[in-house]
């Protein structure tokens, strides 16, 4: 019984970590896209 409870907690922890990891990856990609847009705007403004 206790082992089953521990297994459920461990599984919930793994799922929580997985969800947080996906969230971090999503925000990293959003940050990279924003930086690319800022870079493009700055480069174009220096060019003209």
């Amino acid at each position: 019984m206790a082992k089953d409870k521990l297994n459920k907690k461990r599984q919930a922890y793994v799922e929580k970590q997985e969800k947080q990891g996906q969230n971090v990856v999503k925000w990293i990609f959003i940050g990279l896209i924003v930086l690319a847009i800022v870079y493009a705007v700055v480069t174009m403004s220096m060019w003209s």
Side-chain angles (χ1 to χ4, degrees):
M1 194 79 164
K3 195 172 189 175
D4 189 40
K5 190 174 182 181
L6 182 65
N7 244 354
K8 285 181 183 179
K9 281 186 177 182
R10 189 171 288 155
Q11 183 65 28
Y13 178 75
V14 167
E15 289 173 3
K16 182 180 173 185
Q17 289 293 95
E18 196 172 301
K19 197 172 189 180
Q20 286 178 340
Q22 289 173 350
N23 202 17
V24 168
V25 169
K26 180 178 72 173
W27 280 108
I28 289 172
F29 275 114
I30 289 172
L32 287 173
I33 290 169
V34 168
L35 286 173
I37 292 170
V38 169
Y39 176 76
V41 167
V42 168
T43 302
M44 290 297 173
S45 68
M46 286 181 171
W47 211 14
S48 54

